[in-house]
Amino acid sequence: MSTPTIEWDLALIQKYNYSGPRYTSYPTALEFNQSYNEASFRQAALRYPERPLSLYLHIPFCHRLCYFCGCNKIVTRQQHKADQYLDVLEQEIRSRAPLFTQRTVTQMHWGGGTPTFLDKAQITRLIDLLRSCFNFSADAELSIEVDPREIELDILDHLRAAGFNRLSMGVQDFNKQVQEKVNRVQDEAFIFALIKRARQLGFTSTNIDLIYGLPAQTAESFAFTLQKVAELNPDRLSVFNYAHLPELFAAQRKIKTADLPDASQRLAILQQTIATLTAEGYQFIGMDHFARPDDELAVAQREGKLHRNFQGYTTQGDSDLLGMGVSAISMIGDSYAQNQKVMKDYSASVSLQGNALWRGLTLTDDDCLRRDVIKALICHFALDFAQIEQRWQIDFSHYFAPDLALLQPLIEDGLVDRHEKGLQVTAKGRLLIRNICMCFDRYLRQKARTQQFSRVI
């Protein structure tokens, strides 16, 4: 596989910059329903018993409110609330683990919220519990999200001793004016100290999250952030497009729409970001992800082994994903399952039945087939018809005739090349990969619901 390159075509970007799914799953979470039940989940857990297991733990607490945030979180200073939550989470873990006793855990991620809201004793309690309930491989990839504003340096030592080997840090923007507008003021020197300590301790990968489209951001101000990022030199970067949805997320009502960069400014920031990061040697993985060429993500993409799930791009797509904690999502067997999103409902459900299953979806053969097509396009910017035909025993051109008809205008605009053996996304089509995938989304055209998604750029 070749390394993806990007060609910037402003007219095409403006033409196709409408809303659409990010395809961390297909079908998307909009299709989840409450007819999916515990019996469905248990059946799914038996479907691929030989698959390794990836764990996701949702820790919802934050010390302070970031105005841009759309995550499922609880803002509090009361540490005992984490103890109460861990009591419930322990019950869920002990209930779920027996379904997976034959599996090996090769990957685990703690997200949130802010997982490092937990103090040392709470971190130890949770990791020890998980290790007692699941079989971890010796070289498991263990990652955690870190808020650089609310962490002591020696917490990294504690995390490393507990087995964590990857860090993801939300920085968003180094510009103080932008930080003040979104209530996330942080110490630049301390961020550098954290990354330095992580490397000294032997963390094998560091990821930095940035957001473009925040209030007071300009291409000039973001150039400063990109300069600092180049100095930090993380292994991976996620550069997200801020989706301003104040009607959905109350915290975003504190952001004044007038302070936000307009569409042309956002595009200028993105164009500059891509140019700067690729010039610094980062490989554009896709959508909003960049990685050093020797990073596992970049290697996996070049070798045609990259996958995508609810945590974004991953090297371990052949695993089942078990999510635990409030609002957590699982991908088990050919199904998706989501826990209760509201804390009191989550706690009540676990107390009553040992799990917090709220809704989900058992995929049909058509869902699984389309998931394969979309995953190939979004991970590798290419699709081999023969591979799909052989796996699914179909004639691609016949089965996907309506989809290819939807794709035709994008082909004519030069976003995709169609040849005898498959599809190849062009350099100018890579930024619009979500639009290309949308042509194969049967649910999207049944229900014109694109307004529930963020813009593609």
Side-chain angles (χ1 to χ4, degrees):
M1 288 272 176
S2 61
T3 301
T5 55
I6 310 166
E7 187 179 321
W8 188 270
D9 188 316
L10 184 59
L12 284 177
I13 287 167
Q14 289 172 330
K15 176 178 179 179
Y16 286 101
N17 192 17
Y18 44 80
S19 302
R22 301 182 63 81
Y23 293 115
T24 50
S25 74
Y26 179 84
T28 71
L30 285 182
E31 307 311 323
F32 294 3
N33 61 75
Q34 288 177 260
S35 62
Y36 184 93
N37 57 24
E38 181 64 11
S40 312
F41 185 94
R42 287 176 174 268
Q43 190 175 356
L46 297 171
R47 186 167 175 87
Y48 302 112
E50 74 293 344
R51 275 188 181 171
L53 194 63
S54 178
L55 299 179
Y56 172 73
L57 283 299
H58 191 80
I59 312 296
F61 304 104
C62 293
H63 289 104
R64 282 181 275 187
L65 179 67
C66 300
Y67 297 162
F68 57 79
C69 185
C71 299
N72 189 313
K73 78 279 184 189
I74 295 165
V75 179
T76 181
R77 287 269 166 194
Q78 298 175 292
Q79 202 68 31
H80 73 273
K81 289 195 172 180
D83 285 317
Q84 294 168 351
Y85 179 68
L86 290 178
D87 289 342
V88 183
L89 184 57
E90 176 172 349
Q91 202 177 337
E92 183 190 8
I93 290 167
R94 291 192 185 282
S95 171
R96 283 288 181 232
L99 298 174
F100 302 95
T101 51
Q102 304 306 310
R103 310 282 197 107
T104 300
V105 175
T106 56
Q107 187 180 51
M108 180 173 70
H109 181 72
W110 291 10
T114 305
T116 49
F117 180 97
L118 301 183
D119 63 26
K120 290 179 183 177
Q122 291 164 338
I123 290 168
T124 298
R125 174 187 174 183
L126 182 53
I127 195 80
D128 286 353
L129 170 67
L130 289 161
R131 288 190 184 280
S132 72
C133 290
F134 294 95
N135 174 34
F136 282 76
S137 71
D139 59 349
E141 177 186 299
L142 307 187
S143 62
I144 186 167
E145 293 170 18
V146 170
D147 181 347
R149 299 169 304 166
E150 299 279 352
I151 186 173
E152 299 296 328
L153 267 182
D154 70 340
I155 291 288
L156 293 189
D157 300 62
H158 191 77
L159 290 169
R160 189 71 191 94
F164 284 94
N165 47 31
R166 291 171 176 265
L167 280 188
S168 183
M169 192 185 304
V171 171
Q172 325 315 349
D173 195 303
F174 275 104
N175 185 282
K176 280 289 181 277
Q177 186 189 4
V178 176
Q179 291 176 9
E180 285 163 4
K181 293 274 188 186
V182 297
N183 199 38
R184 193 185 173 91
V185 177
Q186 49 203 6
D187 185 312
E188 179 187 308
F190 189 66
I191 291 170
F192 277 79
L194 277 170
I195 294 289
K196 183 180 179 183
R197 175 70 71 95
R199 290 187 172 132
Q200 288 170 342
L201 290 169
F203 281 86
T204 56
S205 179
T206 51
N207 176 79
I208 295 290
D209 289 344
L210 302 177
I211 298 179
Y212 71 95
L214 293 177
Q217 271 180 348
T218 63
E220 292 74 29
S221 76
F222 209 65
F224 172 74
T225 289
L226 293 171
Q227 176 198 330
K228 292 297 175 188
V229 164
E231 292 171 30
L232 270 176
N233 192 25
D235 301 284
R236 298 177 185 178
L237 277 157
S238 303
V239 188
F240 296 108
N241 177 13
Y242 170 61
H244 190 56
L245 300 166
E247 65 281 1
L248 283 183
F249 305 114
Q252 294 186 357
R253 291 168 205 158
K254 295 179 181 291
I255 291 176
K256 295 175 184 173
T257 306
D259 287 343
L260 296 172
D262 62 25
S264 63
Q265 289 174 306
R266 290 166 83 110
L267 288 176
I269 294 169
L270 177 62
Q271 183 176 19
Q272 171 185 259
T273 299
I274 292 167
T276 302
L277 292 178
T278 50
E280 286 289 339
Y282 285 94
Q283 182 174 317
F284 174 69
I285 300 297
M287 286 175 52
D288 35 39
H289 284 65
F290 299 81
R292 286 273 169 220
D294 57 351
D295 183 87
E296 286 176 348
L297 276 189
V299 174
Q301 185 172 59
R302 292 195 298 272
E303 294 178 350
K305 297 175 182 174
L306 192 65
H307 296 272
R308 189 163 171 80
N309 65 17
F310 290 103
Q311 280 130 54
Y313 289 102
T314 175
T315 57
Q316 301 206 22
D318 292 326
S319 308
D320 272 351
L321 170 65
L322 173 61
M324 292 176 289
V326 63
S327 78
I329 299 178
S330 300
M331 300 171 73
I332 302 289
D334 291 319
S335 78
Y336 304 130
Q338 184 172 21
N339 279 351
Q340 294 284 353
K341 284 176 80 170
V342 178
M343 181 63 88
K344 66 177 192 311
D345 297 334
Y346 167 78
S347 299
S349 181
V350 172
S351 298
L352 189 67
Q353 58 201 28
N355 67 73
L357 184 62
W358 169 40
R359 59 178 189 164
L361 183 72
T362 300
L363 276 64
T364 64
D365 283 349
D366 179 74
D367 291 337
C368 293
L369 164 55
R370 291 174 184 275
R371 178 177 63 179
D372 278 1
V373 168
I374 287 171
K375 188 165 78 169
L377 287 167
I378 211 162
C379 289
H380 304 295
F381 300 110
L383 184 69
D384 182 329
F385 290 165
Q387 279 184 359
I388 297 293
E389 289 176 333
Q390 189 174 355
R391 179 168 183 186
W392 292 98
Q393 298 299 298
I394 59 155
D395 177 285
F396 194 97
S397 297
H398 177 72
Y399 190 98
F400 287 105
D403 312 85
L404 291 168
L406 286 173
L407 191 65
Q408 190 57 37
L410 284 72
I411 293 171
E412 290 167 7
D413 277 338
L415 302 183
V416 193
D417 290 332
R418 181 179 175 182
H419 49 87
E420 189 181 327
K421 294 185 176 179
L423 300 174
Q424 179 69 50
V425 179
T426 66
K428 65 175 69 171
R430 287 185 169 128
L431 280 174
L432 297 165
I433 189 63
R434 286 161 73 178
N435 305 73
I436 294 164
C437 292
M438 285 157 71
C439 295
F440 295 91
D441 187 335
R442 189 168 57 86
Y443 295 93
L444 203 60
R445 51 181 186 267
Q446 285 173 346
K447 315 162 184 169
R449 296 197 299 191
T450 55
Q451 71 279 6
Q452 294 199 29
F453 300 103
S454 63
R455 284 184 177 273
V456 298
I457 295 292

